[in-house]
PDB file of all heavy atoms in Angstrom:
ATOM      1  N   GLU A  82       6.693  -7.482  11.808  1.00  0.00           N
ATOM      2  CA  GLU A  82       5.877  -8.638  12.352  1.00  0.00           C
ATOM      3  C   GLU A  82       4.435  -8.186  12.638  1.00  0.00           C
ATOM      4  O   GLU A  82       4.309  -7.145  13.320  1.00  0.00           O
ATOM      5  CB  GLU A  82       6.607  -9.079  13.647  1.00  0.00           C
ATOM      6  CG  GLU A  82       7.075 -10.535  13.417  1.00  0.00           C
ATOM      7  CD  GLU A  82       7.741 -10.984  14.770  1.00  0.00           C
ATOM      8  OE1 GLU A  82       7.226 -10.642  15.872  1.00  0.00           O
ATOM      9  OE2 GLU A  82       8.648 -11.675  14.636  1.00  0.00           O
ATOM     10  N   ASP A 110      -2.779   0.333  18.435  1.00  0.00           N
ATOM     11  CA  ASP A 110      -4.052  -0.406  18.410  1.00  0.00           C
ATOM     12  C   ASP A 110      -4.164  -1.201  16.995  1.00  0.00           C
ATOM     13  O   ASP A 110      -3.334  -0.964  16.137  1.00  0.00           O
ATOM     14  CB  ASP A 110      -5.211   0.629  18.420  1.00  0.00           C
ATOM     15  CG  ASP A 110      -5.345   1.167  19.785  1.00  0.00           C
ATOM     16  OD1 ASP A 110      -4.872   0.635  20.787  1.00  0.00           O
ATOM     17  OD2 ASP A 110      -5.910   2.314  19.939  1.00  0.00           O
ATOM     18  N   VAL A 122      10.406   4.574  -0.511  1.00  0.00           N
ATOM     19  CA  VAL A 122      10.942   5.355  -1.615  1.00  0.00           C
ATOM     20  C   VAL A 122      12.084   4.463  -2.201  1.00  0.00           C
ATOM     21  O   VAL A 122      12.474   3.500  -1.711  1.00  0.00           O
ATOM     22  CB  VAL A 122      11.603   6.752  -1.217  1.00  0.00           C
ATOM     23  CG1 VAL A 122      10.488   7.642  -0.785  1.00  0.00           C
ATOM     24  CG2 VAL A 122      12.570   6.574  -0.155  1.00  0.00           C
ATOM     25  N   GLU A 140      -5.310  13.167   6.911  1.00  0.00           N
ATOM     26  CA  GLU A 140      -5.614  14.598   6.845  1.00  0.00           C
ATOM     27  C   GLU A 140      -7.212  14.815   6.918  1.00  0.00           C
ATOM     28  O   GLU A 140      -7.693  15.695   7.595  1.00  0.00           O
ATOM     29  CB  GLU A 140      -4.966  15.301   5.655  1.00  0.00           C
ATOM     30  CG  GLU A 140      -3.409  15.397   5.737  1.00  0.00           C
ATOM     31  CD  GLU A 140      -2.831  15.958   4.550  1.00  0.00           C
ATOM     32  OE1 GLU A 140      -3.596  16.074   3.548  1.00  0.00           O
ATOM     33  OE2 GLU A 140      -1.652  16.352   4.578  1.00  0.00           O
TER      34      GLU A 140
END
Side-chain angles (χ1 to χ4, degrees):
E82 245 180 33
D110 292 337
V122 293
E140 288 175 347

